[in-house]
């Protein structure tokens, strides 16, 4: 299921740019167990969307190694991705115009910080395994 997490608090990037907020599109499969210990966090390559069932069918899916019947599988579209997260096509709140070439650089640290905020929002305390491109 594709969902969008909206963070409306200022978000400071490693570059020194502070965004008034951001949004991350993500896909989940399966259910979080009561102990919240069955999380599989998948990081897609830059050209993929957030649905690993579409592009990693040998590893993720019913009857596969990471089966949604057993695991809560989450994959987030990277910032800058054309699949729903904040990107050059997102609107700058001050001007109501798209960022286009003014879109700030998101470092790996910035991506981790953004994902950590989503993780906290979802109530995930521990990730069983994280993998990807």
């Amino acid at each position: 299921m594709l969902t969008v997490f909206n963070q409306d608090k200022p978000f400071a990037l490693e570059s020194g740019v502070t965004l008034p907020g951001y949004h991350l599109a993500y896909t989940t499969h399966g259910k979080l167990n009561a102990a919240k210990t069955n999380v599989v966090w998948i990081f897609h390559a830059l050209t993929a969307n957030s649905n690993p069932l579409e592009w990693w069918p040998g590893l993720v899916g019913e009857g596969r190694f990471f089966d949604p019947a057993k695991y809560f599988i989450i994959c987030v579209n990277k910032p800058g991705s054309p699949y729903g997260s904040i990107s050059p096509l997102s609107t700058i709140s001050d001007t109501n115009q798209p960022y286009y070439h003014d879109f700030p650089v998101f470092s790996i640290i910035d991506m981790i910080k953004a994902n950590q905020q989503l993780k906290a929002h979802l109530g995930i305390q521990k990730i069983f395994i994280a993998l990807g491109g």
Side-chain angles (χ1 to χ4, degrees):
M1 170 174 73
L2 183 66
T3 308
V4 177
F5 166 66
N6 288 297
Q7 178 57 275
D8 59 0
K9 296 177 186 170
F11 187 70
L13 300 175
E14 191 177 21
S15 67
V17 171
T18 298
L19 299 171
Y22 66 92
H23 59 279
L24 297 174
Y26 64 98
T27 300
T28 62
H29 297 282
K31 293 187 181 202
L32 195 56
N33 65 16
K36 299 182 180 181
T37 57
N38 66 334
V39 177
V40 174
W41 200 293
I42 297 176
F43 299 93
H44 71 79
L46 291 175
T47 58
N49 64 33
S50 66
N51 190 352
L53 271 69
E54 292 180 6
W55 47 263
W56 218 349
L59 194 61
V60 181
E62 186 178 334
R64 304 290 188 226
F65 193 76
F66 295 114
D67 190 329
K70 182 176 178 183
Y71 296 104
F72 178 71
I73 300 161
I74 182 168
C75 183
V76 181
N77 286 122
K78 289 176 175 35
S81 161
Y83 295 102
S85 290
I86 188 170
S87 75
L89 298 179
S90 297
T91 303
I92 303 170
S93 59
D94 296 349
T95 64
N96 211 25
Q97 297 294 316
Y99 283 95
Y100 294 135
H101 296 292
D102 293 327
F103 187 70
V105 172
F106 271 75
S107 70
I108 296 297
I109 291 171
D110 298 327
M111 289 182 209
I112 291 168
K113 285 179 13 184
N115 282 337
Q116 285 173 330
Q117 290 183 13
L118 172 59
K119 178 179 167 260
H121 170 76
L122 294 173
I124 297 169
Q125 306 249 336
K126 185 175 182 179
I127 295 173
F128 173 69
I129 191 168
L131 67 154

